[in-house]
Amino acid sequence: MDHRLALKQATLATLVAAVLFVPIVGLVLHDRALDLHAARVAVLLAAVFLWRYGLALLLHSRLRIALARRAALVAAPFAAPLAPLAAWLARRGKPLLAVVLAALVAAPFLPGATNYLIHVLSLTLIYVILGMGLNIVVGLAGLLDLGYVAFYAVGAYSYALLAQQLGLGFWSALPLVALLAGATGCALAFPVLRMHGDYLAIVTLGFGEIIRMLLVNMTWLTGGPNGISAPRPTLFGLSFSAEGEAGGPTFHGLLGIAYDPRHRYVYMYLLVLAIAAGAVWVFHRLRQMPMGR
């Protein structure tokens, strides 16, 4: 019965994965036609099937009990001296967090970490920050905000405009754009927080659409659909470009090494990682504070 249940769950998971993987991974645009890469999809589906089948056996069969007993027997001689450490880990949980953070820091330096992969990781961390902010509004406060991404747009375009119009750098503009995005949220909150349920969702959705339409149609200010460029962050005034900003100092020039575009990708990743770690700490502290509770 355990094998039948595991087989059923693995088959269902594989079917769901096929619906996702075939159009996303299997279909590749070539010229004006779509080519089906069946081998790539088959490998992914086989991995999903084997993983789900093994997981189902581990969770729903006697194998889990047997493994737990075997692990207990193996760990018995070491249990007494490691008991204080285990209690401390259960109570604090900080070493595990340190291991995860160390792995994230080391990710761009591992073999096979290309510039594209580092860029994708940076974007992932940016959306992790956005997800935590949305979790505060929707998950903790219970307010269905469908226009939350508008504040992301306000902060991004504010930075680009401040850099273009006033010549501010990344570090100078960062606190200002945070205040502008927060002020926009406060301005929206006064009329909107009097609403609840579907009405709140509709109004916030309209706010997000208004911001999008303004950014697309105000071509004289925002560049319209083409967007607007902004300067890259620097490291204590050191630019990661080949020639430097306006003839200024460069990172590779100060260290006396050859220029490598990879330095810019790694720096951006580590910068976003530091901001994401700070956001996680603020999110955790907010939940522990009386105001957050």
Side-chain angles (χ1 to χ4, degrees), residues 48-88:
V48 170
F49 179 85
L50 293 176
W51 174 81
R52 190 64 185 90
Y53 183 76
L55 182 63
L57 286 179
L58 185 62
L59 295 178
H60 300 290
S61 70
R62 299 176 181 177
L63 179 62
R64 176 174 59 88
I65 302 176
L67 289 176
R69 291 177 177 176
R70 180 63 60 85
L73 292 176
V74 173
F78 309 97
L82 294 180
L85 177 61
W88 187 77

Side-chain angles (χ1 to χ4, degrees), residues 106-114 117 262:
F109 305 102
L110 297 177
T114 61
L117 179 60
R262 183 183 180 85

Side-chain angles (χ1 to χ4, degrees), residues 145-166:
D145 187 356
L146 299 181
Y148 180 80
V149 73
F151 306 116
Y152 178 37
V154 169
Y157 275 87
S158 297
Y159 166 54
L161 292 174
L162 288 174
Q164 186 182 71
Q165 303 295 331
L166 302 180

Side-chain angles (χ1 to χ4, degrees), residues 89-105:
L89 290 176
R91 186 174 64 253
R92 309 281 297 223
K94 291 184 178 180
L96 179 60
L97 180 61
V99 170
V100 173
L101 185 59
L104 291 175
V105 172

